[in-house]
Amino acid sequence: MSVAVSQSSNSPSDPVVRTEAGRVRGSREGSLAVFRGIPFAEPPVGARRFAAPRAVRGWDGERDALAFGPPPPQAGFFGMDGPAWDAEGHDWLTANVWSPDPGPGAGLPVMVWIQGGAYVIGMSGLPEYDGGRLAREGGVVLVTFNYRVGIEGFAHIEGAPANRGLLDQVAALEWVRDNIRAFGGDPDRVTVFGQSAGGGSVAALMAMGRARGLFHRAVAQSVPGTFFSPDLASDAAAACASELGLKPTTADLSSVDPVRLSGAGDVLTAKLAQRVGSWGKAAHRQIPFAPVVDGDVLPVTPWQALADGAGRDIELVAGHTRDEHRLFGLIDGTLGQVSEEQASAALQMYAPGPDGPRRYREAFPSADPNELYELVHGDWLFRMPSLHLADAQIAGGGRAHVYELNWPAPGMGGALRACHGLDVPLVFGNLDAGQAAGLIGDGPSPEAETLSARMRAAWTAFAAHGDPGWPAYDSTQRLTQLFDAQLAVTPYPEEPSRLLWEDHVFPALSLVRRPGHE
């Protein structure tokens, strides 16, 4: 079935590409052809609410691809409200393409970005994700896209497939496989890259049979170690539905307005402190949703999958920032304000093993409460999951490169240092767009521009031929690229933390004990 698309006034110089679903007309932005808001799947609303994504229907004529599609529902984040979403429509699942040379014969490397947002927020249309500079200077076809987040994408709902957000990502990659040649890309040279929840998504995709063959290289930036077991995920969905007096089933939830449902998720998040007794670390960190190790869509955790060889044929770059937790400390008001009692509680909650708190203090004898608090949070949430992903890849017979971003950003008076998220503007080269200005400061310095150019060159070189410019990681030398004002390759720099976590397995987070038995 095809649908007609009305035409608007266009310029003869506008680029037009024929996709499998129909022709799309983009815009010419300098040397690039840019296409925004191309649907890669049918809107997941109505009868398709909470269903796996379905390929988009074809259309007649030319479809304008000039504006980003509407973001998936995420309650009040980014100043959006229900009427705004209704006005923009329900085409949540759309892709955007920046190409230096649209045409089936160009054969350029393809980079597909998966944005983060704790699996509850995120949209591809944010200015920090503009792909223009990376595509133009790196000679790659750059793709970004939206996927369902929060309850729509990750709640474990009876009657619905698990991990719908991950299934959306697979559908986007299938769209890339089937269409990217027409935009100048090589479907046999696809690199996925993502940060935070996007990095966790990259790790999950490496473990998923449904994604096999859809990409050939992967960059996992600041991978969170938070994956849920079915029991925890089911309890989270039930708790969310109960905020509306409903059951966590498709029959009950499919008629609830998406924004109202996302709002219920926000209410649940605000109450998570009450659930530490049953949810443990997930409640303590206010994490209501994450990919579910359901045994089907996601058979096992990424670390187990890679150790078993699932990523053997995928080249991997994995890494993190040095000061991952400082951004969260600023957000929650703990930055520089941690008491000895708070530090002790954090060590008790997150340090690995029964003697973890003691070992942390011995490994960092001069660390004050603030440093210990930041270290154990950063290690548990991002640094060690990222490192262990590389270790698992090597154990499974694959190849990995490891990096750490050490550059102390000058934004916020230098308080955030090399914090979580700093790598995003540096990799995209959007140093004064969106949230980047707060991290990097007003008017990017020459030092920031130089570092950004080096990171962009490493990422695009890896996408082009699998070599980011530094040696592969192994279990003996552990060579790591340090990104700072001066580049260096050294043994992994966070050795005390590595040794503390060496024998830890990152399992799916489960219920500590059943609700009602606190």
Side-chain angles (χ1 to χ4, degrees):
M1 178 180 177
S2 63
V3 295
V5 176
S6 60
Q7 296 189 20
S8 59
S9 59
N10 298 303
S11 166
S13 63
D14 289 343
V16 177
V17 165
R18 179 180 289 277
T19 71
E20 289 202 333
R23 294 193 305 276
V24 291
R25 179 179 291 272
S27 59
R28 179 66 62 178
E29 300 179 12
S31 61
L32 295 177
V34 182
F35 303 82
R36 295 180 173 91
I38 307 172
F40 64 82
E42 286 291 290
V45 296
R48 289 183 293 277
R49 185 88 178 273
F50 304 120
R54 192 174 76 179
V56 67
R57 294 177 296 168
W59 56 81
D60 297 324
E62 288 177 359
R63 182 179 186 126
D64 282 341
L66 305 174
F68 292 112
Q74 40 204 276
F77 287 102
F78 300 112
M80 298 288 287
D81 57 19
W85 265 297
D86 291 341
E88 293 190 44
H90 296 102
D91 268 329
W92 305 334
L93 305 181
T94 59
N96 320 293
V97 182
W98 289 259
S99 176
D101 186 5
L108 298 174
V110 181
M111 297 183 69
V112 182
W113 170 250
I114 306 176
Q115 71 267 2
Y119 306 107
V120 295
I121 60 173
M123 62 183 78
S124 62
L126 295 178
E128 48 263 49
Y129 304 146
D130 184 278
R133 193 171 188 184
L134 199 56
R136 182 177 61 254
E137 298 181 9
V140 301
V141 177
L142 196 288
V143 180
T144 67
F145 64 92
N146 287 335
Y147 60 94
R148 282 173 284 181
V149 294
I151 298 171
E152 299 288 335
F154 291 97
H156 207 47
I157 298 171
E158 183 181 334
N163 298 305
R164 296 170 298 281
L166 296 179
L167 293 176
D168 292 345
Q169 296 169 15
V170 171
L173 288 168
E174 290 173 338
W175 182 88
V176 167
R177 176 197 61 197
D178 297 339
N179 293 281
I180 206 63
R181 192 181 302 277
F183 293 88
D186 182 351
D188 295 320
R189 282 198 296 169
V190 174
T191 298
V192 292
F193 68 125
Q195 182 266 350
S196 197
S201 296
V202 168
L205 289 167
M206 292 182 72
M208 291 169 58
R210 288 169 171 82
R212 193 152 297 140
L214 296 177
F215 60 97
H216 315 90
R217 296 176 180 128
V219 183
Q221 304 170 212
S222 298
V223 177
T226 50
F227 286 73
F228 281 8
S229 65
D231 65 343
L232 176 56
S234 296
D235 196 55
C240 187
S242 70
E243 294 293 335
L244 300 171
L246 301 172
K247 296 178 181 178
T249 64
T250 55
D252 267 23
L253 298 180
S254 60
S255 61
V256 179
D257 179 86
V259 176
R260 182 169 176 248
L261 192 55
S262 292
D266 283 359
V267 173
L268 171 64
T269 300
K271 297 180 178 180
L272 283 184
Q274 303 170 13
R275 296 180 177 271
V276 171
S278 56
W279 286 24
K281 297 178 178 70
H284 197 260
R285 285 292 315 196
Q286 292 191 313
I287 301 171
F289 305 109
V292 184
V293 182
D294 66 312
D296 177 21
V297 175
L298 185 59
V300 295
T301 67
W303 300 275
Q304 182 180 336
L306 266 59
D308 291 341
R312 188 178 295 126
D313 298 328
I314 301 171
E315 295 169 306
L316 173 67
V317 169
H320 55 77
T321 71
R322 182 185 57 200
D323 305 295
E324 288 279 5
H325 193 261
R326 291 186 73 82
L327 176 65
F328 300 97
L330 177 68
I331 292 170
D332 65 21
T334 60
L335 185 62
Q337 304 296 320
V338 177
S339 66
E340 175 59 37
E341 291 75 17
Q342 287 174 305
S344 295
L347 291 171
Q348 193 66 40
M349 174 69 71
Y350 297 106
D355 59 346
R358 175 187 60 79
R359 295 179 63 215
Y360 252 92
R361 292 183 184 277
E362 291 177 353
F364 302 98
S366 62
D368 64 19
N370 288 291
E371 293 170 305
L372 287 170
Y373 187 89
E374 290 175 16
L375 279 166
V376 73
H377 275 284
D379 283 345
W380 174 77
L381 190 53
F382 295 116
R383 300 203 311 177
M384 294 305 105
S386 301
L387 181 67
H388 280 217
L389 195 72
D391 283 326
Q393 172 76 340
I394 295 165
R399 180 180 177 90
H401 294 78
V402 172
Y403 74 89
E404 181 179 78
L405 175 58
N406 298 73
W407 182 65
M412 304 294 294
L416 296 180
R417 302 176 191 166
C419 70
H420 186 72
L422 178 61
D423 48 331
V424 175
L426 292 171
V427 166
F428 275 86
N430 300 323
L431 303 182
D432 54 3
Q435 301 174 19
L439 298 178
I440 295 179
D442 296 333
S445 66
E447 186 174 274
E449 289 283 5
T450 298
L451 178 58
S452 175
R454 289 169 172 168
M455 294 188 75
R456 294 197 309 274
W459 265 237
T460 55
F462 178 69
H465 47 74
D467 183 0
W470 69 89
Y473 188 82
D474 61 40
S475 58
T476 54
Q477 292 183 294
R478 301 188 182 278
L479 295 179
T480 302
Q481 175 70 65
L482 305 186
F483 284 105
D484 205 332
Q486 299 297 321
L487 302 188
V489 176
T490 72
Y492 182 67
E494 311 302 339
E495 185 67 2
S497 291
R498 186 191 73 78
L499 291 173
L500 284 166
W501 291 82
E502 188 173 26
D503 299 323
H504 182 75
V505 175
F506 282 92
L509 299 178
S510 299
L511 286 174
V512 177
R513 50 181 180 266
R514 294 291 177 183
H517 296 274
E518 283 87 0

